[in-house]
Amino acid sequence: MTDLLARFGGRRRLGIALLLLAMFCVLVASYISMRSQDIRPKPVLLMMTTLPLQWSEGGIEAELAEDAAPHPAFAHLRRQYDVQPIDDLRTLPANPRQMLLLAQPRALQPSELVRLDDWVRAGGQLLILADPALQWGSLYPLGDKRRPLFTTMLSPLFTHWGLELVLPMTDEKPMAVRKIGPFHIRTQTPGEWLPRKAASTTSCDIFAQGLAADCPLGKGRALLVADADMLDTRYWEGRGMRMVTGGDEFANMDWIESLLAALKNGKSAHGDFVGK
């Protein structure tokens, strides 16, 4: 022990050396932990949309450009999920608690609607952004199949679940800011969920001042939002006033991600978590 103390120049230097060694071990452990999180597989999020989220409307030339990048909303989702596009809902995997995002999707075939309903009731977790009057800008004229759908085509599904999606006709400005729980979000001509008068019962619980609905269906669950424009960066990226941290002006994406987290973790879609 005396030789060891002498080699390190006394107890004080030995203590400093041991402290540095401990700090080095902590840094190595932190690095290993961060690396393990980086390589941990992300949960799969299937997605169908007519919005230009993963691919732009500029054609192959735009996609091959050096500065080509997916839409910021898609980039947000990709941080937490392995986002995988799906073209035909009849091919939905029979995987319990699989997650699916429908963001203003194309018109679905009757067989796809049946498959989707069966898939949710078997345990699927579904988030739908259905806009009754989409204001998303496009390079293509109205009527062009490449343009995002102006209005949702999922009314038969909503009717089956005992809901009706309406576009409120008021004198208020079409762009509105509302507070949902801890989130300040901005929307454009959002719709409103109403229980169908002709339906005897519905399992869906309408919340967020009519903007959202929570539908337990069989072993699965569907969360419905009556707006898709909220994904457009012009409604949430920073333009001066800061309503959320991280540089975004409004918490549109934070709210959407909280809804997905509620589905993934089986949490309530009410209260402070996603806003009632």
Side-chain angles (χ1 to χ4, degrees):
M1 184 65 179
T2 303
D3 293 341
L4 183 61
L5 289 173
R7 180 178 301 176
F8 281 93
R11 294 180 180 275
R12 184 176 180 181
R13 291 189 177 180
L14 177 60
I16 294 175
L18 293 175
L19 178 60
L20 292 174
L21 178 61
M23 292 175 62
F24 175 75
C25 292
V26 170
L27 290 173
V28 170
S30 299
Y31 175 77
I32 293 174
S33 176
M34 287 176 17
R35 289 295 298 166
S36 64
Q37 293 178 5
D38 291 341
I39 63 177
R40 187 180 306 163
K42 299 177 183 178
V44 173
L45 175 63
L46 302 174
M47 182 180 73
M48 175 184 282
T49 182
T50 60
L51 304 175
L53 298 179
Q54 186 174 10
W55 312 110
S56 71
E57 290 187 338
I60 188 64
E61 295 83 1
E63 298 302 332
L64 294 177
E66 293 183 1
D67 59 348
H71 191 277
F74 184 84
H76 265 264
L77 295 174
R78 197 167 56 180
R79 293 172 191 168
Q80 301 293 331
Y81 300 95
D82 177 11
V83 185
Q84 299 180 7
I86 183 170
D87 297 324
D88 190 337
L89 295 187
R90 290 170 294 191
T91 64
L92 277 169
N95 184 2
R97 297 199 63 79
Q98 184 80 55
M99 296 179 65
L100 170 63
L101 169 61
L102 298 181
Q104 200 73 345
R106 61 168 174 78
L108 301 178
Q109 298 293 328
S111 57
E112 290 183 284
L113 291 172
V114 171
R115 173 59 184 144
L116 180 60
D117 182 62
D118 291 342
W119 176 83
V120 174
R121 295 180 187 277
Q125 305 297 308
L126 173 65
L127 175 60
I128 296 180
L129 306 184
D131 205 305
L134 190 76
Q135 303 300 308
W136 199 295
S138 176
L139 298 175
Y140 304 114
L142 288 172
D144 194 304
K145 293 183 178 180
R146 294 168 294 179
R147 184 185 177 94
L149 286 182
F150 171 70
T151 188
T152 181
M153 304 297 286
L154 297 180
S155 294
L157 184 67
F158 305 146
T159 298
H160 182 60
W161 290 344
L163 290 176
E164 183 179 3
L165 177 60
V166 300
L167 181 63
M169 302 301 292
T170 67
D171 294 330
E172 298 179 1
K173 295 180 180 179
M175 184 181 296
V177 177
R178 66 177 74 191
K179 187 177 187 297
I180 302 177
F183 305 110
H184 290 85
I185 67 170
R186 180 162 57 181
T187 59
Q188 177 79 5
T189 58
E192 181 180 354
W193 297 108
L194 298 175
R196 284 194 74 240
K197 295 180 180 179
S200 56
T201 60
T202 176
S203 62
C204 300
D205 186 9
I206 298 171
F207 66 103
Q209 302 101 55
L211 183 64
D214 187 350
C215 302
L217 299 164
K219 297 179 181 179
R221 183 181 180 192
L223 291 178
L224 315 179
V225 177
D227 187 80
D229 280 314
M230 65 171 58
L231 295 183
D232 195 339
T233 53
R234 59 179 170 159
Y235 302 121
W236 55 269
E237 276 196 333
R239 293 177 181 270
M241 180 174 58
R242 291 290 182 265
M243 304 298 292
V244 296
T245 59
D248 295 333
E249 185 176 357
F250 291 94
N252 294 17
M253 290 307 303
D254 291 338
W255 187 54
I256 293 300
E257 290 174 359
S258 76
L259 292 174
L260 288 170
L263 288 174
K264 180 168 69 74
N265 299 320
K267 292 187 177 181
S268 171
H270 298 283
D272 292 337
F273 189 73
V274 294
K276 186 170 182 178

